Amino acid sequence: MNLNIALLPGDGIGPEILNQAVKCLQAVEETFNHTFVYKEAAVGAIAIDKTGSPLPDNTLQLCKDADAVLFGSIGDPKYDNDPNAKVRPEQGLLKLRKELGLYTNIRPVKVFPTLISKSPLKEEIITGTDFTIYRELTGGIYFGEKKLNKEGTVASDLCEYSEKEISRIAHLAFKAAKNRRNKLTLVDKANVLESSRLWRKVVTKIGESYPEVELDFLFVDNAAMQVILNPNQFDVVLTENLFGDIISDEASVIGGSIGLLASASIGDDNSLFEPIHGSYPQAKGKDIANPVASILSAAMLLEHFQLFEEAMAVREAVDKSLKKGIVTPDLDANSSYGTNHVGDFIADNIVDNDDDLNINDENIGLGKSTII
């Protein structure tokens, strides 16, 4: 298969972790005889510094012309700490989602058995956790009309949804549930919000077309509690933009590190894949950032194009790195392996995924060839 992939490294650790994802895609090319063409462009704070815009026109056009977008991270403290900034890095990502029509964000939440001890939650609570969050991405309060009075003392943000916006993501979530464990949970605030009542009405009606899927409902405050108390009750979670942002970040702690969770943003004609962690500027250039979420985002890209064997090869190589302890310091404080070493190990094991490999740990630590 030939694919044109737009690379948007972004800010902070984005370039470092994206480089590791590309290494793994190149290993897939070598192993499975595919051809991927990569073109890079600026987005976020680095783009503001260069052009004044967080999403320059040439970056947007590159993404529209590509088969898929692989994204690093976005954000910079100099904007986070300035409430008066008129242009912010995050505006570039929001605009990109809107312009590409990426209305569905898919975030798998799965516990790796070898990392259960890293979770702040008890083993008996999280063992076997495996659910997926479907978050609506281009509507709601993030994109609604925003007002601030002249005195700067009263502000409002409009949360608005249409039946069409709800329907298109609901169908995707129901189809996903059919291919998993046949359960879908709608998270809303229908006891208070009119927009949530519309969500519940539309999703209930659509659910009649998927009789094999059990549909239930949770208010968002209860859902936030249940994600921690009993995450195994969930299979597919469907929710609106703001609630999805909060719930998915909360769910990231279950596995012990936000550096493990990938995501896909899907539209009718475009797709974007990114780790859910932020730009982590404190780690920039220190070779300590966890690249696994970015690498697993590349695996989701492969799955999106029906390259299931290739995606499995990436996932198996990641599993091997975790089992072998070839991880960054966020997963093991005593680890001597950096971002690049972990990426090299995973890429090497995509090329040669023999389970009986003799791995030379000393060579890995020295950054040499990991396969002997």
Side-chain angles (χ1 to χ4, degrees):
M1 178 177 285
N2 297 324
L3 289 175
N4 293 312
I5 301 174
L7 302 178
L8 304 188
D11 306 319
I13 63 171
E16 299 166 64
I17 52 103
L18 193 65
N19 281 342
Q20 310 314 312
V22 172
K23 281 181 188 175
C24 293
L25 287 175
Q26 290 171 336
V28 167
E29 290 182 76
E30 177 183 344
T31 306
F32 295 92
N33 297 316
H34 299 304
T35 300
F36 303 152
V37 176
Y38 310 93
K39 294 183 179 179
E40 185 175 315
V43 69
I46 190 170
I48 296 174
D49 293 342
K50 290 180 178 179
T51 70
S53 170
L55 182 65
D57 291 343
N58 67 308
T59 299
L60 177 58
Q61 190 60 52
L62 175 66
C63 294
K64 288 182 175 180
D65 293 339
D67 295 308
V69 180
L70 198 57
F71 197 93
S73 60
I74 202 166
D76 189 286
K78 67 182 178 183
Y79 297 97
D80 296 339
N81 300 328
D82 181 5
N84 297 315
K86 299 301 182 183
V87 180
R88 296 178 177 276
E90 292 78 11
Q91 292 170 345
L93 183 55
L94 292 176
K95 182 179 179 181
L96 184 62
R97 290 170 178 169
K98 198 73 171 180
E99 290 285 341
L100 297 183
L102 306 176
Y103 58 82
T104 297
N105 182 247
I106 305 169
R107 294 191 178 187
V109 179
K110 186 175 182 179
V111 172
F112 292 92
T114 54
L115 298 178
I116 284 179
S117 63
K118 303 299 180 183
S119 175
L121 303 180
K122 294 180 179 179
E123 179 177 348
E124 58 266 28
I125 292 176
I126 65 171
T127 297
T129 294
D130 181 1
F131 64 93
T132 300
I133 299 172
Y134 273 65
R135 167 192 170 193
E136 201 288 324
L137 205 58
T138 58
I141 200 167
Y142 289 174
F143 291 92
E145 182 182 3
K146 304 179 188 311
K147 293 181 180 180
L148 180 68
N149 70 352
K150 292 182 179 179
E151 295 77 20
T153 57
V154 179
S156 66
D157 298 275
L158 178 66
C159 182
E160 186 173 64
Y161 271 107
S162 68
E163 181 176 348
K164 178 182 177 182
E165 289 174 310
I166 299 168
S167 175
R168 61 189 182 181
I169 186 175
H171 278 291
L172 293 179
F174 273 108
K175 289 174 182 176
K178 281 182 62 177
N179 291 323
R180 290 175 52 90
R181 300 192 302 276
N182 284 308
K183 182 179 179 182
L184 189 148
T185 301
L186 175 65
V187 172
D188 61 26
K189 194 63 176 171
N191 58 335
V192 175
L193 301 178
E194 195 64 47
S195 56
S196 282
R197 287 190 276 272
L198 179 62
W199 268 86
R200 191 168 290 208
K201 174 185 174 182
V202 172
V203 171
T204 299
K205 181 65 177 177
I206 291 173
E208 296 173 2
S209 301
Y210 301 88
E212 64 272 66
V213 177
E214 175 191 353
L215 173 63
D216 66 353
F217 308 93
L218 283 178
F219 294 143
V220 64
D221 42 352
N222 186 22
M225 179 174 62
Q226 293 300 323
V227 163
I228 299 301
L229 292 179
N230 183 19
N232 279 298
Q233 69 183 281
F234 298 110
D235 181 21
V236 173
V237 174
L238 170 64
T239 192
E240 58 111 86
N241 205 342
L242 174 61
F243 299 159
D245 193 0
I246 296 169
I247 290 290
S248 58
D249 278 5
E250 180 195 18
S252 71
V253 307
I254 294 173
S257 173
I258 198 171
L260 299 173
L261 297 185
S263 76
S265 299
I266 307 297
D268 293 331
D269 302 309
N270 299 286
S271 57
L272 180 148
F273 304 86
E274 61 175 320
I276 77 165
H277 59 67
S279 60
Y280 193 13
Q282 301 90 334
K284 180 181 178 181
K286 296 181 181 179
D287 194 35
I288 60 172
N290 190 339
V292 167
S294 186
I295 291 169
L296 291 177
S297 295
M300 293 186 76
L301 183 156
L302 295 168
E303 288 177 333
H304 180 70
F305 290 99
Q306 310 295 305
L307 301 177
F308 298 115
E309 184 180 357
E310 292 85 340
M312 182 57 66
V314 175
R315 295 184 187 281
E316 288 177 349
V318 168
D319 286 342
K320 189 176 295 183
S321 75
L322 298 177
K323 291 176 182 176
K324 190 67 179 175
I326 313 301
V327 296
T328 44
D330 61 307
L331 297 180
D332 181 356
N334 296 316
S335 173
S336 60
Y337 305 122
T339 306
N340 285 294
H341 292 167
V342 172
D344 286 342
F345 177 86
I346 294 172
D348 284 349
N349 280 275
I350 293 169
V351 175
D352 189 342
N353 61 1
D354 183 356
D355 286 337
D356 294 327
L357 282 175
N358 180 19
I359 307 298
N360 187 315
D361 293 335
E362 183 178 359
N363 279 351
I364 296 171
L366 294 172
K368 298 179 180 178
S369 175
T370 61
I371 301 175
I372 60 174

